[in-house]
Amino acid sequence: MRPFPKFRSPLLAVLAGTLTLGTASLAGEPEPVLTKAGTPIHPANVEGLRRAEADAAVAAYIPPPPPPSCPGVIDNGTVRLGVASAGHLTVTCTTSTLSSGTSGTTDVGLRYLPTNAEAAAPGTPCEGWGVASADLGITGHTSAGCGVANVTVESFTATTTTATSVVRVGTTFRVTHRYVPSPATPFLYQVDVLIENTGTVPVADLRYTRGIDYDVLPNTFSEFVSFAGATAPSVLGVASNGFASLDPLAVHTTLPTGTPSFTDLGPGDVGSHFDFQLGALAPGRVRSFRLYYGAAGNQPAALGALAAVGAGTYSLGQGNWNGTGNPLAATGAPAGTFGALTGQPTTFMFGYLPPQPVTSCTVECRSFNPNEVYTVDLLGTQDICLANGSSYIVPVGVLYRYGQRIQFNCGNYGASFGTLCNVVPGPDSCNAAVYDAICSSPVYAQSCLP
């Protein structure tokens, strides 16, 4: 697949201008704090910087605590994430290296290891998510620095490369976020999201929100953002305000609807905010989909990574830099559009793949044994996989989700689901409706996201 282009139009230039924060202030209000690039810092980030300065002053007089183990800090050698127990990004890690660019931090959220650039943790960390039933008015959301409501952690496990968070949102939802390295590219982490209706009432309008305040070097708190796939099915709205409420039921000021892409909005203290509408969810059923977070050293590499996983809905965060000076220096570097045009020295990205209901499947032999031969009606009307001329093996139902093969043994999965494979004269067939029910059940849903 060819890399997705960044789209440009005269309208976007106007939008970029109108979305750039001005430097004027209302009478009686303090003048905004400016970055080295001359753009104002969002008030939430200003407050975060003041807290960091105060903490540093206090820490100078207090003996340092023992180094933490930094649970939730994971990486694949290229991208490092700090996964909190509630599933959002950014965790405290005092043993981590100070990130590059201005306003460096040891906190870890979304980091590109080759440049040590950190996009989620500087200032007030607002990366987070929310889930809601719009029809029932039930909602919950979480982040490191921009609010938590109606979310209770049920479990959290992590290794050095993976992390899984399971939380409850009231008594209506169980939400799982599973972070694993993408098998397709080193520039992305795959985030499988599973939302289970644990209540007794059907949800008619399921919503999910994901947002991040991109803070991109060299001049942290002054960057450009781009969006693609804004009109894709299930995308309710997108915004460049990284501090917008993560409550899916809050009123969100979005970019103009009906426009599929926005290019290089900024420069300013901007971010990425997506609202998704995911349909109905019956009690005891699971809705699953896939997100991506990652970074690369330039724009072509970032777009190539998104193309490799098929993510046509995405956002990019890129630095306000003119291409001169040292973009990794703690003092920053001259501002300009070179960073937005090339994606250097680091392009951060978020991607989305929508839920994929099962519409078709096939009956085949297992993929891990190449010696199996599919044999039609070997036992009356039952098809069998014959191995080495003597071993009779039941076939499997096969489907492809997100480009990866999934296989379940043919058989009866009980009254709640039914029989996966239809045994008929001639080649057996696979029951897609049964497969879809299996993949939307709490027992099997994770197995349907390889």
Side-chain angles (χ1 to χ4, degrees):
M1 187 183 296
R2 292 183 300 169
F4 297 106
K6 282 172 60 177
F7 302 91
R8 296 183 178 279
S9 73
L11 170 63
L12 300 183
V14 174
L15 286 170
T18 59
L19 289 170
T20 301
L21 298 173
T23 57
S25 61
L26 298 175
E29 291 187 348
E31 290 295 323
V33 177
L34 301 182
T35 66
K36 179 182 176 67
T39 55
I41 300 175
H42 192 281
N45 269 335
V46 173
E47 180 59 28
L49 288 175
R50 288 172 179 159
R51 287 199 302 269
E53 292 170 356
D55 291 345
V58 171
Y61 297 95
I62 300 176
S69 59
C70 302
V73 174
I74 61 176
D75 71 69
N76 65 353
T78 303
V79 175
R80 177 169 291 165
L81 302 179
V83 183
S85 60
H88 58 266
L89 297 184
T90 307
V91 299
T92 299
C93 186
T94 59
T95 57
S96 173
T97 304
L98 194 71
S99 60
S100 301
T102 59
S103 302
T105 178
T106 59
D107 292 352
V108 178
L110 172 59
R111 191 170 293 207
Y112 183 56
L113 293 178
T115 58
N116 198 34
E118 170 61 53
T124 297
C126 282
E127 198 288 330
W129 61 270
V131 70
S133 168
D135 54 307
L136 301 177
I138 298 167
T139 184
H141 63 275
T142 182
S143 68
C146 287
V148 180
N150 201 26
V151 170
T152 304
V153 176
E154 187 173 281
S155 67
F156 180 72
T157 58
T159 67
T160 57
T161 59
T162 67
T164 300
S165 161
V166 182
V167 306
R168 293 282 194 140
V169 175
T171 58
T172 303
F173 297 113
R174 175 184 284 114
V175 184
T176 300
H177 289 86
R178 184 177 67 180
Y179 292 79
V180 298
S182 168
T185 170
F187 300 126
L188 289 172
Y189 250 84
Q190 176 179 302
V191 189
D192 291 330
V193 184
L194 301 95
I195 304 172
E196 177 188 353
N197 182 349
T198 56
T200 59
V201 179
V203 170
D205 188 358
L206 178 65
R207 306 284 182 90
Y208 181 86
T209 292
R210 194 81 193 214
I212 180 173
D213 168 37
Y214 281 128
D215 291 319
V216 186
L217 57 66
N219 302 302
T220 308
F221 312 133
S222 180
E223 52 277 327
F224 294 87
V225 292
S226 298
F227 297 88
T231 56
S234 73
V235 178
L236 191 61
V238 300
S240 60
N241 181 4
F243 299 94
S245 172
L246 295 162
D247 179 356
L249 302 187
V251 177
H252 296 146
T253 301
T254 63
L255 295 172
T257 58
T259 303
S261 59
F262 303 88
T263 302
D264 297 341
L265 304 183
D269 196 355
V270 290
S272 164
H273 182 100
F274 281 86
D275 291 317
F276 301 105
Q277 190 170 33
L278 302 173
L281 187 62
R285 289 291 182 254
V286 175
R287 181 65 31 78
S288 59
F289 54 95
R290 181 163 287 172
L291 307 176
Y292 292 93
Y293 265 123
N298 55 63
Q299 181 173 297
L303 294 177
L306 291 164
V309 298
T313 296
Y314 61 83
S315 69
L316 304 178
Q318 299 170 317
N320 183 8
W321 179 45
N322 74 356
T324 67
N326 179 4
L328 308 185
T331 54
T337 59
F338 179 83
L341 296 175
T342 67
Q344 298 180 30
T346 305
T347 294
F348 291 97
M349 50 189 153
F350 166 84
Y352 167 73
L353 290 177
Q356 293 192 349
V358 181
T359 57
S360 64
C361 55
T362 57
V363 179
E364 303 177 19
C365 291
R366 301 174 301 177
S367 60
F368 53 80
N369 187 353
N371 295 321
E372 293 182 12
V373 178
Y374 191 85
T375 307
V376 176
D377 292 349
L378 183 63
L379 301 178
T381 57
Q382 184 177 2
D383 297 350
I384 288 294
C385 290
L386 191 61
N388 302 320
S390 60
S391 298
Y392 290 25
I393 301 167
V394 175
V396 293
V398 175
L399 68 88
Y400 286 85
R401 178 170 278 187
Y402 302 128
Q404 299 177 55
R405 176 184 168 117
I406 300 167
Q407 58 187 30
F408 277 69
N409 289 331
C410 288
N412 191 329
Y413 284 79
S416 298
F417 307 112
T419 302
L420 180 58
C421 303
N422 302 312
V423 177
V424 296
D428 292 345
S429 61
C430 181
N431 193 323
V434 171
Y435 226 141
D436 192 50
I438 290 171
C439 288
S440 65
S441 73
V443 176
Y444 299 109
Q446 290 202 35
S447 298
C448 292
L449 287 172

